[in-house]
């Protein structure tokens, strides 16, 4: 826990909040870029980095940067990108589930044919 000497003054807090929100916007843009690609590891890493930024923003001393016009303008840019990222992630997840189900259905068909062949040979 920081002591009083380590605490940011209100002006420094606002600067730090501004910097973190700018980084959040930049990471959101990167996430949107990579949400179309198949590199899920990089995508997950970017999500983790963005989560760490959220934690840093929340840990800042009380300030009113989030209510400022500057931050509201950033949020207006971020929200549509977030919605696209969520939509693409859901689409990717649904596609992945369909592919897994298709693979499983072939596995079941193959094992049933094998069992049927063995059964038919015995009788």
């Amino acid at each position: 826990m920081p002591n009083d000497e380590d605490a940011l003054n209100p002006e420094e807090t606002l600067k730090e909040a501004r910097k973190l929100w700018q980084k959040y916007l930049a990471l959101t843009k990167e996430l949107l870029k990579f949400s179309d690609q198949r590199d899920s590891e990089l995508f997950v890493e970017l999500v983790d980095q963005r989560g760490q930024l959220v934690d840093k923003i929340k840990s800042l001393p009380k300030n009113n940067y989030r209510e400022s016009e500057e931050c509201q303008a950033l949020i207006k840019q971020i929200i549509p990108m977030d919605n696209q990222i969520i939509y693409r992630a859901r689409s990717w997840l649904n596609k992945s589930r369909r592919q897994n189900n298709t693979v499983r259905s072939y596995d079941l068909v193959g094992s049933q044919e094998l069992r049927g062949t063995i059964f038919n040979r015995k009788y």
Side-chain angles (χ1 to χ4, degrees):
M1 182 167 252
N3 59 33
D4 290 334
E5 295 172 9
D6 295 334
L8 299 173
N9 68 40
E11 189 175 311
E12 290 171 335
T13 299
L14 286 176
K15 284 181 184 178
E16 185 66 14
R18 181 179 293 115
K19 183 177 87 174
L20 291 174
W21 275 99
Q22 289 290 337
K23 286 182 178 182
Y24 188 87
L25 174 64
L27 274 174
T28 301
K29 288 178 181 179
E30 289 299 307
L31 269 172
L32 186 59
K33 227 188 295 184
F34 286 101
S35 65
D36 272 346
Q37 299 180 10
R38 302 215 180 254
D39 192 351
S40 58
E41 288 181 29
L42 180 58
F43 182 79
V44 170
E45 183 166 328
L46 290 172
V47 169
D48 288 343
Q49 287 178 21
R50 207 170 70 148
Q52 291 171 11
L53 277 176
V54 169
D55 292 342
K56 287 180 182 179
I57 290 170
K58 287 180 179 179
S59 72
L60 285 174
K62 187 142 179 81
N63 65 80
N64 61 353
Y65 180 73
R66 190 160 188 333
E67 289 78 33
S68 72
E69 287 182 28
E70 178 183 358
C71 188
Q72 290 301 310
L74 289 176
I75 291 170
K76 284 181 183 177
Q77 291 178 42
I78 291 168
I79 288 174
M81 287 187 282
D82 266 348
N83 290 337
Q84 282 184 297
I85 291 166
I86 291 167
Y87 175 79
R88 289 176 182 178
R90 284 183 181 156
S91 295
W92 175 83
L93 182 61
N94 289 335
K95 182 179 178 181
S96 179
R97 284 180 180 158
R98 281 191 307 272
Q99 288 173 340
N100 285 340
N101 288 338
T102 302
V103 168
R104 281 192 211 114
S105 70
Y106 282 119
D107 287 345
L108 290 176
V109 169
S111 65
Q112 288 171 350
E113 288 175 3
L114 182 61
R115 280 189 231 136
T117 306
I118 293 170
F119 181 76
N120 289 338
R121 285 185 186 165
K122 289 184 179 179
Y123 296 99

